[in-house]
Amino acid sequence: MRRDTIVVLDFGSQYTQLIARRIREQQIYCEIQPYTLPLNELKDIEPKGIILSGGPASVYEDNAPLIDASVFNLGIPILGICYGMQLMAYLLEDGKVHPASEREYGKAQLQVNANSDPLFNGLPSDITAWMSHGDKIDSLPTGFQIIAQTQNSPVAAMVDSKGVLYGLQFHPEVEHTLDADKILFNFARHICECEPKWTMGSFISEAISQIQDTVKGERILCAVSGGIDSMVLATLLHQAIGDQLVSVFVDNGLLRKNEAEQVLSTCKTIGINIEFVDASESFLTELSGIVDPEQKRNVIGSQFIDTFREKVKQLGPCRFLAQGTLYPDVIESVSTKGPSATIKTHHNVGGLPPDMPFELIEPFRELFKDEVRKVGAELGVPQHVLGRHPFPGPGLAVRILGEVTPDRLEILRYADAIFIQEIKDAGLYDEIWQALVVLLPVKSVGVMGDERTYENAVALRAVTSSDAMTADWARIPDDVLARISTRIINEVKGINRVVYDISSKPPSTIEWE
């Protein structure tokens, strides 16, 4: 039976994935497609609703991303957000869009003119909304009316006479917009009339069926790192194909302190049979002299494949390679679903070699981290695994700015272990999405034991988040930070300065590389 679906057409906004996530929070399936998706393929999906995302372009520019205007005649509810709203006005009769006299960015007070409209059902007349635009609608399309406005945006929300086509100048998907979830809830549930039937339980059933249909009697090689994604993936695959699963854990020399032992112990507890490979020497040899972060990721990706290739020679043929790739990994690595900018290449997405001898299986490719946690809970994965902080596939290599060497790795491992232990002892670990230490490519002067030192500096990074697409720096109490700094400087030979990163995402990423 076809499930109710809302399609988001991506015009390049870094918030596009948040739109999909907000809809999924309503237990309604939502998928992102590029704005270039042909109209006949869009029809084949049979969406109950369409959302046009924001984007960095202006609709009146040459080569601006446009769509077939006949999409507005499908009789399907459509919600245009920011650029999507301007595009709607631009393509429909009599609508006009021009540059605004001044850019509107940040929080604005939205005055709702039509509280009775289904889109604003249950919301107050005065809403704090998040704006980010440099263009405005000068003339409404024929048959539209204004239903909300701000001081700088006379047309902050509009609707057509049939109550099918909506436009919002502000971003209802971001947390900065008060009661934003209610607006998207109203669109999905009341206007599109979608039923809340997309759950992690239904996802598991579909994923198992797809895996079984894809692999048939073939074996799958699963790369297990010990993190949430790979552990949940291995559990799902084992449930789907049993002994056809071959799980491999590779010590690439870039792990945290005592991590290999902990991963093997956890796998044993969960019941995952694991093949252990110590490939640290080959990884570190290939990384020698490399300082560019993209090159590091590519080298690590290639080395993983080479390691798996050699292991398969011992274990027998495996046609498929399974990875715990997530949606944010894909979005930040390569623009596969629209014109969004590439942020960084993840080793298991853009860093894989073109001659890879495996076919990829990536069941979580369209899931966010919190959704994977829910899948894990459904599958019975222990909470201490599900609550673990994310750790990048390239490991400590992307937390060492500059060349990766055994000595620098040891310094970082020790500092990282102190940081994590202290936030656990302070009861902060579960409140923080991700915590890490970055070894900086600088040295600074210090005084230790009445002697001058010239040693390394490290940066502490801890963020709070719900999906990793946006994040804020964690407000760790001063006394905890002081204790962490004191311990690192006193106990880790080679470090004499500790700083704390207080930047949010965006504009910064969570990891430094």
Side-chain angles (χ1 to χ4, degrees):
M1 183 176 67
R2 185 179 293 270
R3 61 191 173 195
D4 289 350
T5 299
I6 290 180
V7 171
V8 179
L9 295 182
D10 178 22
F11 291 91
S13 171
Q14 291 303 317
Y15 294 144
T16 298
Q17 297 73 42
L18 287 179
I19 301 172
R21 186 177 179 278
R22 300 295 182 240
I23 298 296
R24 291 184 187 186
E25 287 173 352
Q26 313 299 336
Q27 295 187 337
I28 296 166
Y29 181 69
C30 182
E31 65 182 55
I32 297 173
Q33 295 289 346
Y35 75 93
T36 53
L37 184 73
L39 187 61
N40 63 314
E41 294 184 25
L42 179 60
K43 290 180 181 178
D44 288 342
I45 297 173
E46 297 183 16
K48 295 287 292 285
I50 299 170
I51 297 178
L52 311 178
S53 83
S58 293
V59 293
Y60 47 76
E61 293 177 338
D62 293 338
N63 300 317
L66 304 177
I67 57 174
D68 187 337
S70 59
V71 71
F72 299 113
N73 298 322
L74 295 177
I76 300 171
I78 298 177
L79 173 64
I81 297 175
C82 199
Y83 178 87
M85 173 186 182
Q86 295 160 11
L87 180 66
M88 184 182 292
Y90 181 76
L91 293 177
L92 294 175
E93 185 179 0
D94 294 332
K96 290 184 174 57
V97 180
H98 292 103
S101 57
E102 59 183 69
R103 179 180 173 82
E104 189 175 20
Y105 182 82
K107 293 181 179 179
Q109 289 307 118
L110 184 78
Q111 297 297 321
V112 179
N113 303 335
N115 294 86
S116 60
D117 189 279
L119 192 66
F120 291 107
N121 181 46
L123 283 102
S125 299
D126 192 351
I127 301 172
T128 300
W130 184 260
M131 292 286 190
S132 178
H133 64 99
D135 296 322
K136 68 174 184 177
I137 295 175
D138 282 337
S139 297
L140 288 172
T142 299
F144 278 73
Q145 63 173 322
I146 298 171
I147 54 175
Q149 59 193 16
T150 68
Q151 184 174 354
N152 292 329
S153 293
V155 186
M158 65 181 189
V159 63
D160 75 335
S161 58
K162 297 179 180 179
V164 175
L165 306 180
Y166 284 86
L168 299 176
Q169 186 59 74
F170 61 96
H171 288 272
E173 69 273 26
V174 301
E175 293 178 353
H176 305 299
T177 296
L178 189 64
D179 292 327
D181 55 337
K182 291 183 180 178
I183 294 174
L184 291 176
F185 172 87
N186 287 337
F187 178 72
R189 294 289 300 277
H190 299 318
I191 297 172
C192 299
E193 298 181 343
C194 292
E195 292 293 328
K197 294 181 178 180
W198 192 72
T199 65
M200 291 303 98
S202 66
F203 167 82
I204 290 170
S205 298
E206 290 181 18
I208 288 176
S209 178
Q210 290 174 0
I211 291 166
Q212 292 171 339
D213 290 344
T214 299
V215 305
K216 301 189 185 305
E218 302 280 355
R219 294 201 301 171
I220 296 180
L221 183 70
C222 180
V224 174
S225 68
I228 303 166
D229 311 325
S230 65
M231 287 296 197
V232 175
L233 175 62
T235 305
L236 175 68
L237 290 171
H238 187 265
Q239 186 167 325
I241 60 172
D243 292 340
Q244 290 173 239
L245 175 65
V246 179
S247 298
V248 176
F249 171 66
V250 177
D251 183 350
N252 57 8
L254 306 170
L255 303 176
R256 291 168 289 193
K257 190 175 182 181
N258 301 324
E259 188 158 24
E261 296 86 346
Q262 293 170 5
V263 170
L264 294 174
S265 175
T266 300
C267 288
K268 184 178 181 180
T269 300
I270 295 177
I272 298 174
N273 293 323
I274 200 85
E275 293 284 341
F276 175 70
V277 180
D278 184 353
S280 54
E281 185 176 344
S282 61
F283 273 81
L284 295 182
T285 297
E286 292 300 316
L287 285 168
S288 178
I290 294 175
V291 298
D292 178 74
E294 286 295 284
Q295 194 175 355
K296 286 181 188 177
R297 291 174 181 274
N298 287 330
V299 166
I300 292 167
S302 295
Q303 280 301 117
F304 268 117
I305 296 303
D306 288 345
T307 303
F308 295 144
R309 185 187 281 116
E310 289 301 313
K311 191 62 180 177
V312 165
K313 289 180 182 179
Q314 302 172 23
L315 299 174
C318 287
R319 178 180 170 187
F320 299 95
L321 173 65
Q323 296 189 131
T325 305
L326 301 188
Y327 206 12
D329 297 336
V330 177
I331 296 304
E332 292 188 343
S333 295
V334 56
S335 180
T336 58
K337 299 241 180 208
S340 303
T342 297
I343 307 299
K344 58 187 176 185
T345 299
H346 288 256
H347 82 286
N348 57 342
V349 183
L352 296 177
D355 61 342
M356 188 179 70
F358 305 100
E359 295 179 38
L360 282 180
I361 297 285
E362 297 176 311
F364 302 155
R365 192 178 177 87
E366 301 295 329
L367 295 187
F368 295 96
K369 177 73 74 173
D370 59 321
E371 291 176 317
V372 174
R373 283 194 170 103
K374 292 175 182 177
V375 170
E378 291 270 350
L379 293 171
V381 176
Q383 182 56 41
H384 75 271
V385 175
L386 299 179
R388 191 181 186 211
H389 287 183
F391 185 62
L396 298 180
V398 292
R399 294 179 180 177
I400 293 177
L401 306 193
E403 185 180 6
V404 179
T405 67
D407 288 344
R408 301 189 80 199
L409 281 165
E410 274 310 300
I411 290 173
L412 181 56
R413 279 196 189 98
Y414 201 165
D416 178 83
I418 291 172
F419 187 27
I420 298 302
Q421 187 58 56
E422 285 296 332
I423 62 173
K424 284 183 176 179
D425 290 348
L428 300 173
Y429 186 83
D430 292 337
E431 298 176 14
I432 294 172
W433 172 272
Q434 194 167 348
L436 58 128
V437 180
V438 182
L439 183 60
L440 304 178
V442 296
K443 290 189 175 183
S444 67
V445 174
V447 178
M448 300 178 73
D450 295 327
E451 293 183 359
R452 177 186 184 275
T453 62
Y454 189 58
E455 301 288 3
N456 297 284
V458 294
L460 307 179
R461 175 77 160 146
V463 299
T464 57
S465 179
S466 58
D467 50 32
M469 297 305 299
T470 60
D472 194 12
W473 59 278
R475 273 58 172 180
I476 297 177
D478 292 350
D479 61 325
V480 178
L481 285 173
R483 188 161 57 249
I484 293 166
S485 176
T486 299
R487 282 198 60 195
I488 289 176
I489 292 172
N490 286 346
E491 298 177 30
V492 184
K493 186 177 180 180
I495 296 176
N496 69 355
R497 190 174 300 273
V498 175
V499 299
Y500 188 48
D501 181 350
I502 59 170
S503 49
S504 61
K505 175 186 180 180
S508 302
T509 54
I510 295 176
E511 298 283 348
W512 278 42
E513 287 192 344

